[in-house]
Every structure is written in C-alpha cells, then in structure tokens.
C-alpha cells in the first residue's frame, strides 16, 4: 500500500468516525455522550499546573460544564491537587441529561468513576440498590457529620448509615419589584405575609391595556405550582405523613389547589398561559423584563438579577403563610457528593469528599455561585451574610423542606401530576382528582 | 511455515469443505459481533424480563410477575400503549401520503428544483432537542407562528401542547415537517419508472390522473410498502418528543397524553431502576411490532407490484 493510499484510508476513517459522532449527538437527548467524552478527553486535567505522575488518579464526574460553573469546579479541583502529593483528581464533565444513566452503566459494569455529584433526593434509592458506597466508617473516624444542616444530613442516611455527603442546597423564595410596589401604592419594604394578602396585592399590581395584560402581579403558576404550594399550605408536609402513608388528598392540599384556581379564574387561564409561553431566560425573564412583579425562584436567581436585571430595585421574602403562625414553608433541593459502589480508591476519594465539604471549598462555592451550601459554618460566613439576599436565603433554610423520594414509591409523582393537570384543565373536580391520585399512590405503595 | 501434519490434513479435505471453512472464517467477525453484541444482550434481556433485575443489586427469578403487573396492574402501561397506537395509526399513513405528494410535486424539470428538493429534505437532517424546542415556540398558543397563521384564516388555534386533546396531534403535525426523508426515496423510485410506460399509456389516451393511478402508483408500490413497514417500526419507537415536549418539563405531561410506550419504559428503567419490568415491556413491544410487520407482509401480496413479476 502506497503512502498516498494509506493517507486516504486515514482520512476516510476520520470522516467516518466524525459522522458517527454526529449521529450519536443527534440520537441522544442532547449533547450526546460521544461529544461529552471527546470534550472530557480534551479537558482532562485541564487548568492544572500539577502533574499526576506517581499519584493515585481519581476520576470525578460532574455536569458543571457551563462557562460560569466549570472554572469554579476546576479551581477547587486544582487547589486540591496542589495541596497534596498522593492523590490527583481529574474532573470529567458530562451533560446533565446523560451523566446519571452513564454512571449507572459504569457502576453495573464494575468500572465506576471514583467520585460523583448526584441528586440529593435519590440517595436512599441508590443506597438500597448498591449504587453508592456506605461511608459510615469514614464518617465515624473523621466526625464530619456536624458540618452539615441536619435536614440535609437526613437525606443521605439509609438504614442509619450515610451514603453521601451533602454538597449544596437551595430554597424557593419570593422576589418582588419594589418600584412596582410603590407604583401600586403598596409598602415596598413589606411583602404580603399571608396568601390572601398576596392575592390582594397582586390585584393592585396587575396592569391592563384594553383586554390584554401588560403586567401580571403574581400567579402561582409562574415558575411555581401546586407541588410547591401544597407543601406550604400543609404545614411543610409533602405527600407522605410521618409514618410513610400517602396524604395526597389532605384538606390543606385541596385548599392550595383552590387558591391556584381562584387566581387563574380572576386572571383568565388563557392570559396566564400566554404569559408563560413567552417566558425566556436571562433578559427575557418576565421578572427582569418587568412583565411580572412577583416571582418565585431559588435564591441564586439573584445572580440573574445581578447580571441581567439592569439595576432593578428588588426585594426578597419568604413564601407567604396560610394564616398567622402557620409557617412560611418552602421546598429545597440540592446535590450530594458520593463514592459510587465498586470504586477502586475509596480511601483517596474520601479525602476529596472531605475537602469539598469543608469550610474553605464550601465558602468559595457559595461566593462564586451564590448557592446555599451544606456546610453550616461556610453558610454562615460573615462575608456571605453581608449580602442581604444571601442572608435571607440562609434564614429561609430553617423552614425549607426537602422531599426525598420514598423507597417504596420512587415514581409516585407520575401518578399525582396527571391528576393535577386534569384539575387545572377543569376536567375533574379538586376533590375527585386528589382522591384518585391518593388511591393511585396507595396502590403503588402497597405494591399491588 | 506449513507444519507437515497440517499440510497432510489440508490435503485430506475436499475443495468444497475448504471453501466453506474459508467462508466461515471470513464472516466470523460479523457472526461473533452479532452473537456478542446483539443476540447475547437480547437473550439476556429476555431472561431479565422474568426477574426483578434492577441493574446493580438484585436479579431473582419472579416468573411472569412483570408481565402480570404490566397487563393487569399498571394503568400507565395501557395509557402509554394507547398513546403510541394513536400516534402510529394517524402519523404513518399521513406521512406516507405527504412524502409521496411532495415527491410527485418535486419530480419535474423546472428552474430551481434542486433548491426546492434540498429545502424540503433539510428538516430530515436536523433532529433532536433543538428542533423540538423550536417547535415548542412555533406551537405556543398565543405567541406561536402556527396559531398566528391560523388566525389569518380566521381560525382560533388550539392550545397545542397544553391541551391533552391536542398534544398528540401537535406531535403528528410536527412530524410531517420531516416528510422530506420519505420524499427522497419516492423521488428516486419515481425517476425509475420507465418512460415507455407513460408513452404507451398516452397512446391509449390516458390523462394525467389516469397515468398516475395506473402507471406511477403501481410502479412505486415497493417503495410505499417499504415506507409503511419502516414507518410502523419507527413510529412505535417514538420517545424523545414526549420526553422533551412534555408540558412544564414533566415527561409525558399534560395528563400523560404524551407518555409514549418507550417513554414509560425508559422512566421505569432509568428513573426507578425497575429494569426487569422495562425488559418485559420491551419484549411485549417487540411482539406487537413483529405481528404488525407479519400482517403487513401478508397483505403486501395483494397490492405490491414487483417489476420482475410474481416473486
């Protein structure tokens, strides 16, 4: 075979592999694992001035590949690598849509990454199915448990043993436009305390041009919905009671739905849908563009206001309560850092877990991302607390509930959501819909 | 190189068996690949469908329990099957007709026809989430282009992706946009229809419609048949649309109207790790598609015309 011929074969092979790469992209739900792999390969150990030679190399998977987040996570990894000479952590990025299935496949193949970021609400599920490693011997040795908010710590326990360390969390709050409040004759420094007061204030904030709304004060359907309100109305209780029994059709949950329907009746569901359809992100966010006066979001929405809000005069407040003293309950989520089951270097990986949840790394993460972090001390650092929004978010954690998936009914929301939709669409009454959802979930839990 | 014993053995074999052996050696990479990467996993999944397999922690034989749950205790199974059947039943014939009409229109000599063909084929090259997001904007009830265009005709368009009565139709409509890939095959087959047949028909006084009906259509029936069979198979695999376009980012929402069979299977497998159950669903789908394809093949004898005469 002549050299020229050989070159041609190489070119063809290169084109063929590129085509298959593209095909993989379009076939997947988004970026595609193939693309991510190439990306990860190109970036392995990137930004690091230290070399992995002679050290234990750990593979650390996250989905933090955005321009904002990637440098932050890689700075933390780099600092860790510089700090010691036995372990070298390599950060691999995979898109959010692929990373969990990919991890699952890797765990079942017995070749998992060493460290993994994962969802806080499903730790118990993974623990019960041998997908994450039991960390109790490390936790007992190093006594790290007191670092964390107890509510978050509880989510990582399965049969009393920890299977992950909490990393970050969030909480939903009310962002409101103070100028709109002034204009409507409302006190800009006082956000409505109860849901009824909120509805009254919202009416004053609405603005109409002819028959169409140019501004809607508030709708519980904007970036929020019954799944959030039902917990707030029900004293912080989600769809299961203390004993694990489903309580989908509890009276408070029906009241929350009634509140949403009343609001929709007043504004017109069509108007709400029209607004929702136009929502975008960044500058096109309806709160930032002045089309909505009160907006429910997690607290790092603050970074969007800061970056795209054009000096908007805003306030932040907890969700209202049903009546005085009922509680401003909110919902939070978040992520944990864990060692997948079957990882080859758990001792070394644990060192990294400890480092990532320690005060320094957590403070850095909180400052840069404006995320609520799991470490209490970092969360309460004076520098962060000097920002009123951050301070409010940390205070809000006190009445924020996490909603881990119950082990015996991990996909219960698939049964509740369709009934919620049916009620919202007026195809069934509130009580009938919730009773049906209750029956469906009970059936799922009983396993029949 | 040749060892004396081997040489002796070779001499002992007939030419035919040597050729057969060489043949098997040449196809062995494919056979090995098939056994390892297709037949193996298929048999494994069949076995797993009779277990409580959850990928990482357990795999115990539970007999027909998965199949029993599927058929008797899972309302979402039937819902997802109905959704998928509805989509296939309407979408496949519609796409077949649309692709054919498009090909007939684009099968002429005129200025810029190449450009038109390219433009109509282009959507088939694009795919994935980007396209779905684009369509979510187009189908937006108030601000979307689709309803805007309808309003010019005096029609008050539906809330496509919000109203469970319309969601599947919205997907079917969107899928028509990609009829260009079918168009391409029809175009090729149209160009393969011998001109002499048209000339003969003209001599017999056949008009345009008659020529299409009696010459063109019979001549392209093999392609129509191919499109219908692959269309059915592809249609039953619909998944992404329900996953991405579900109202409010809930897969399958509103009211599970977009919960397609494969989406339900995916959620069972990868969200709650009920892999054994998902495997049972996969095999059931396989049976459905197999049955439909067999029916299609049987029926094809009555209407598909092969140029070489009866096969």
């Amino acid at each position: 075979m002549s050299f020229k011929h050989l070159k041609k074969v190489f070119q063809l092979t290169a084109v063929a592999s590129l085509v298959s790469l593209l095909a993989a992209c379009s076939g997947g739900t988004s970026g595609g694992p193939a693309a991510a792999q190439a990306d990860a390969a190109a970036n392995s150990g990137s930004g690091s001035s230290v070399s992995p030679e002679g050290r234990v190399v750990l593979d650390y998977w996250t989905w933090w590949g955005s321009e904002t987040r990637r440098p932050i996570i890689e700075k933390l990894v780099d600092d860790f690598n510089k700090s010691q000479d036995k372990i070298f952590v390599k950060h691999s990025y995979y898109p959010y849509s692929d990373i969990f299935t990919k991890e699952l496949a890797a765990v079942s193949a017995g070749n998992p990454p060493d460290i993994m970021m994962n969802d806080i609400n499903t730790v118990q599920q993974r623990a019960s199915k041998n997908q994450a490693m039991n960390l109790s011997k490390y936790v007992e040795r190093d006594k790290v448990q007191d670092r964390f908010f107890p509510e978050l710590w509880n989510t990582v326990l399965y049969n009393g043993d920890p299977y992950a360390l909490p990393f970050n969390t969030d909480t939903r709050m009310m962002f409101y436009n103070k100028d709109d409040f002034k204009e409507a004759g409302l006190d800009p420094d006082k956000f409505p305390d109860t849901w009824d007061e909120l509805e009254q204030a919202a009416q004053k904030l609405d603005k109409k041009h002819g028959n169409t709304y140019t501004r809607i004060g508030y709708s519980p359907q904007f970036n929020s919905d019954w799944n959030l309100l039902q917990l707030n109305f029900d004293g912080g209780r989600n769809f299961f009671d203390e004993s694990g029994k489903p309580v989908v059709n509890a009276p408070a949950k029906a009241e929350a739905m009634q509140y949403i329907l009343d609001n929709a009746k007043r504004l017109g569901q069509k108007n709400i849908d029209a607004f929702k359809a136009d929502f975008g992100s960044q500058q096109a966010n309806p709160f930032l563009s002045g089309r909505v006066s009160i907006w429910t979001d997690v607290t790092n929405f603050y970074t969007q206001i800061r970056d795209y809000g054009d000096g908007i005069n805003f306030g932040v407040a907890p969700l209202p309560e049903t009546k005085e003293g009922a509680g401003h309950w909110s919902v939070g989520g978040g992520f944990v850092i864990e060692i997948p089951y079957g990882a080859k270097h758990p001792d070394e990986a644990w060192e990294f877990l400890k480092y990532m949840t320690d005060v320094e790394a957590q403070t850095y993460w909180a400052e840069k991302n404006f995320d609520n972090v799991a470490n209490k001390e970092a969360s309460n650092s004076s520098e962060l607390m000097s920002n009123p929004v951050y301070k409010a978010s940390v205070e809000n954690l006190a009445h924020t509930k996490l909603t881990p998936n119950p082990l015996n009914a991990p996909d219960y929301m698939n049964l509740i959501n369709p009934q919620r939709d049916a009620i919202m669409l007026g195809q069934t009454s509130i009580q009938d819909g919730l009773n049906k959802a209750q029956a469906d979930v009970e059936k799922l839990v009983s396993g029949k | 190189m040749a060892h004396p014993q081997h040489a002796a053995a070779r001499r002992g074999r007939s030419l035919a068996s040597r050729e057969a052996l060489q043949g098997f050696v040449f196809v062995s990479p494919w056979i090995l690949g098939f056994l390892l990467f297709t037949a193996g996993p298929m048999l494994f999944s069949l076995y797993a469908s009779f277990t409580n397999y959850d990928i990482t922690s357990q795999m115990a034989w539970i007999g027909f329990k998965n199949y029993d749950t599927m058929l008797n205790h899972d309302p979402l199974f039937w819902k997802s099957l109905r959704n998928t059947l509805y989509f296939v039943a309407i979408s496949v014939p519609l796409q077949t007709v649309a692709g054919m009409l498009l090909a007939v229109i684009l099968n002429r000599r005129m200025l810029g026809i190449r450009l038109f063909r390219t433009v109509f084929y282009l959507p088939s090259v694009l795919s994935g989430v980007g396209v779905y997001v684009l369509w979510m904007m187009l189908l937006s009830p108030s601000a979307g282009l689709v309803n805007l265009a309808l309003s010019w005709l005096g029609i008050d368009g539906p809330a496509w992706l919000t109203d469970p009565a319309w969601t599947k139709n919205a997907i079917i409509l969107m899928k028509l946009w990609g009829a260009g890939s079918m168009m391409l095959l029809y175009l090729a087959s149209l160009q393969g229809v011998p001109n002499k047949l048209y000339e003969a028909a003209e001599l017999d006084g056949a008009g345009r419609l008659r020529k299409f009906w009696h010459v063109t259509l019979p001549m392209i029936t093999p392609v129509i048949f191919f499109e219908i069979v692959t269309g059915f198979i592809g249609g039953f695999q619909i998944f992404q649309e329900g996953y991405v376009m579900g109202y409010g980012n809930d897969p399958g929402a509103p009211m599970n109207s977009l919960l397609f069979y494969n989406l339900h299977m995916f959620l069972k497998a990868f969200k709650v790790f009920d892999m054994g159950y998902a495997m049972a669903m996969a095999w059931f789908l396989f049976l459905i598609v197999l049955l439909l394809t067999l029916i299609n093949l049987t029926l094809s004898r009555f209407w598909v015309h092969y140029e070489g005469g009866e096969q």
Side-chain angles (χ1 to χ4, degrees):
Chain A
M1 203 181 274
S2 72
F3 174 69
K4 223 172 175 178
H5 197 155
L6 202 69
K7 200 172 151 192
K8 191 136 203 167
V9 171
F10 268 120
Q11 280 169 342
L12 275 175
T13 326
V15 170
S17 54
L18 193 74
V19 168
S20 65
L21 197 92
L22 286 174
C25 286
S26 59
T29 39
S30 77
Q37 231 155 19
D39 205 16
N43 285 286
S44 56
S46 70
S48 180
S49 52
V50 277
S51 83
E53 273 149 47
R55 313 194 201 179
V56 176
V57 178
L58 301 178
D59 202 7
Y60 171 39
W61 287 12
T62 80
W63 57 89
W64 283 312
S66 74
E67 268 175 62
T68 342
R69 295 219 167 188
R70 188 169 194 145
I72 301 168
I73 200 81
E74 285 184 348
K75 161 92 167 58
L76 286 173
V77 169
D78 209 38
D79 284 353
F80 176 79
N81 287 339
K82 280 181 189 145
S83 74
Q84 46 103 23
D85 51 10
K86 290 193 181 64
I87 310 164
F88 182 87
V89 175
K90 187 177 114 236
H91 171 231
S92 298
Y93 153 75
Y94 298 99
Y96 194 75
S97 52
D98 295 322
I99 190 167
F100 302 111
T101 347
K102 200 173 166 60
E103 191 228 352
L104 186 61
V107 170
S108 64
N111 187 28
D114 300 282
I115 309 146
M116 174 80 191
M117 264 356 263
N118 228 317
D119 170 37
I120 201 165
N121 284 325
T122 47
V123 180
Q124 294 175 2
Q125 240 175 301
R126 284 191 301 279
S128 73
K129 302 216 177 286
N130 285 345
Q131 293 170 16
M133 200 183 143
N134 187 331
L135 302 176
S136 48
K137 69 169 177 184
Y138 299 118
V139 171
E140 273 160 33
R141 186 189 70 195
D142 292 341
K143 311 259 178 287
V144 293
Q145 157 176 5
D146 295 336
R147 289 176 176 179
F148 306 106
F149 288 102
E151 170 91 20
L152 298 179
W153 182 252
N154 282 336
T155 63
V156 303
L157 299 179
Y158 170 67
N159 287 341
D161 286 343
Y163 281 78
L165 294 184
F167 184 73
N168 62 349
T169 185
D170 55 35
T171 177
R172 274 134 194 92
M173 295 190 77
M174 296 295 201
F175 291 85
Y176 65 100
N177 188 317
K178 288 189 169 178
D179 291 339
D180 289 357
F181 267 54
K182 263 180 246 166
E183 187 193 307
L186 297 160
D187 181 358
D189 293 319
K190 195 185 166 306
F191 190 79
D193 194 55
T194 67
W195 288 102
D196 288 337
E197 284 170 33
L198 174 60
E199 183 62 17
Q200 285 155 22
Q203 288 190 36
K204 290 182 190 153
L205 289 161
D206 290 341
K207 250 175 141 176
K208 264 182 152 178
H209 182 75
N211 269 331
T212 52
Y213 282 95
T214 53
R215 186 174 80 196
I216 290 183
Y218 171 75
S219 164
Q221 294 183 57
F222 291 165
N223 207 38
S224 145
D225 80 343
W226 176 70
N227 292 345
L228 172 65
L229 261 64
Q230 58 83 20
L231 179 138
N232 173 288
F233 272 62
D234 204 5
R237 183 173 70 164
N238 203 29
F239 292 111
F240 296 86
D241 69 7
E242 300 271 300
S243 64
K245 192 184 157 307
V247 287
V248 185
N249 59 353
K253 302 193 187 305
E255 282 164 31
M257 185 60 91
Q258 190 61 55
Y259 183 81
I260 295 173
L261 289 185
D262 289 345
N263 170 277
K265 200 172 165 194
R266 179 174 69 73
L267 290 168
Q269 185 62 40
K270 249 194 140 149
N271 294 325
I272 294 175
D273 285 340
F275 258 61
K276 262 159 84 173
D278 300 342
F279 287 179
S281 52
Q282 300 185 353
Q283 288 92 340
N285 173 284
F287 180 77
L288 302 184
S289 64
R291 299 193 65 206
V292 170
S293 304
I294 300 169
W295 183 251
T296 315
D297 216 317
V298 292
T299 32
N300 77 14
F301 179 61
Y302 166 77
T303 57
Q304 287 195 49
I305 301 181
R306 183 191 64 198
D307 297 343
Y308 307 106
D310 200 19
I312 193 170
N313 182 18
F314 73 99
V316 60
L319 267 60
E321 52 190 348
T322 45
K323 55 179 189 290
E324 194 84 30
H328 299 264
W329 297 103
S330 182
V331 172
F335 296 102
V336 295
I337 186 165
E338 65 191 26
I339 304 176
Y341 188 82
K344 305 287 181 297
H345 305 288
D347 292 352
E348 289 81 2
W350 170 254
E351 292 305 313
F352 187 70
L353 260 59
K354 246 187 349 183
Y355 160 81
M356 285 296 277
T357 53
D358 211 343
V359 182
E360 202 180 329
Q362 291 263 296
T363 312
Y364 183 75
W365 184 263
E367 276 171 4
K368 293 289 171 184
N369 286 310
F370 213 78
D371 255 3
N372 290 111
V373 284
N375 187 304
K376 278 187 290 188
E377 199 184 328
S379 194
N380 287 310
S381 87
S382 55
E383 198 177 329
L384 280 162
M385 282 303 212
S386 64
N387 180 314
V389 179
Y390 197 87
K391 186 162 181 283
S393 79
V394 173
E395 283 163 2
N396 212 49
L397 289 179
H399 36 251
T400 299
K401 287 285 179 183
L402 273 88
T403 55
N405 293 352
L407 277 177
N408 54 353
D411 53 347
Y412 71 103
M413 287 309 289
N414 289 355
L415 299 168
I416 295 178
N417 285 340
Q419 297 307 324
R420 174 203 63 193
D421 297 341
I423 297 169
M424 292 294 297
L425 288 158
Q427 299 197 351
T428 180
S429 73
I430 295 178
Q431 209 51 56
D432 287 352
L434 294 187
N435 287 347
K436 173 82 170 57
Q438 169 78 13
D440 286 347
V441 176
E442 275 175 11
K443 207 173 147 199
L444 179 72
V445 172
S446 71
K448 277 182 195 135
Chain B
M1 275 286 284
H3 196 275
Q5 259 179 340
H6 285 173
R10 226 177 10 237
R11 267 197 301 279
R13 278 195 201 117
S14 72
L15 182 69
S17 76
R18 259 212 321 264
E19 271 194 339
L21 185 71
Q22 282 164 352
F24 280 119
V25 170
F26 276 119
V27 295
S28 63
W30 184 86
I31 293 180
L32 274 178
F34 173 77
L35 290 177
L36 271 173
F37 298 114
T38 306
M42 274 180 79
L43 285 177
F44 174 78
S45 84
L46 182 62
Y47 172 75
S49 74
F50 294 101
T51 69
N52 60 356
Y53 184 45
D54 69 357
I55 312 173
T56 43
S57 74
Q58 56 188 9
M59 192 170 192
W61 185 265
I62 53 168
F64 280 93
K65 188 168 176 286
N66 284 329
Y67 291 90
D68 177 53
T69 310
M70 190 171 88
L71 298 172
N72 300 317
H73 303 290
D74 180 4
L76 293 184
F77 167 79
W78 291 107
K79 176 94 189 164
S80 68
L81 185 59
R82 274 199 304 275
N83 283 339
T84 308
L85 283 174
Y86 179 96
F87 171 77
V88 170
I90 297 186
S91 177
V92 174
L94 219 55
Q95 286 219 46
T96 312
V97 174
M100 186 162 45
L101 287 181
L102 207 56
V104 170
I105 293 168
L106 293 177
N107 184 35
R108 42 178 96 192
R109 286 168 217 276
M110 56 175 269
L111 195 69
I113 191 70
R114 275 160 190 269
L115 178 74
F116 278 110
R117 284 177 189 168
T118 313
V119 166
F120 277 98
Y121 183 67
L122 215 54
S124 323
V125 181
L126 309 168
S127 70
V129 176
V131 169
Y132 302 142
V133 172
L134 174 81
W135 272 94
M136 285 160 84
M137 292 185 208
L138 291 177
L139 290 169
S140 153
S142 63
L145 268 182
V146 175
N147 276 3
L148 184 66
L150 285 176
S151 73
W152 292 333
L153 304 172
I155 301 169
D156 193 12
W160 297 100
L161 292 170
T162 343
D163 182 349
W166 279 97
T167 45
K168 280 187 284 293
N169 298 330
I171 303 282
I172 291 168
L173 180 84
M174 177 185 89
K175 285 296 205 180
L176 274 185
W177 187 61
S181 63
M182 286 199 169
M183 181 266 298
L184 202 68
L185 271 180
Y186 284 121
L187 209 52
S189 75
L190 283 176
Q191 312 229 315
V193 180
N195 232 347
K196 60 177 189 206
L197 293 182
Y198 290 117
E199 284 162 10
E202 271 165 30
L203 281 179
D204 287 342
R208 264 189 158 183
L209 256 181
R210 209 164 250 281
K211 275 196 291 181
F212 176 75
W213 199 250
H214 289 286
V215 178
T216 314
L217 212 51
M219 288 305 283
I220 63 170
T221 43
V223 175
I224 299 179
F225 175 59
F226 173 80
E227 294 287 12
I228 289 179
V229 170
T230 52
F232 268 113
I233 295 172
F236 273 101
Q237 290 173 357
I238 183 167
F239 160 75
Q240 276 193 15
E241 291 76 4
Y243 192 56
V244 177
M245 298 174 79
Y247 180 64
N249 289 332
D250 285 339
M255 286 177 72
N256 285 330
S257 61
L258 289 181
L259 186 77
F260 294 113
Y261 194 92
N262 277 358
L263 178 54
H264 185 41
M265 188 163 81
F266 170 85
L267 293 174
K268 280 287 179 195
F270 293 107
K271 290 289 169 215
V272 299
F273 313 127
D274 206 344
M275 193 54 93
Y277 185 80
M279 302 278 193
M281 281 189 72
W283 277 92
F284 192 78
L285 182 69
F286 174 71
L287 286 181
I288 295 176
V289 175
L290 185 69
L291 196 72
L292 267 168
T293 309
L294 286 178
I295 292 174
N296 258 326
L297 276 170
T298 316
L299 289 178
S300 78
R301 271 191 235 142
F302 300 107
W303 63 274
V304 178
H305 170 87
Y306 291 101
E307 218 179 336
E310 288 302 310
Q311 298 283 313

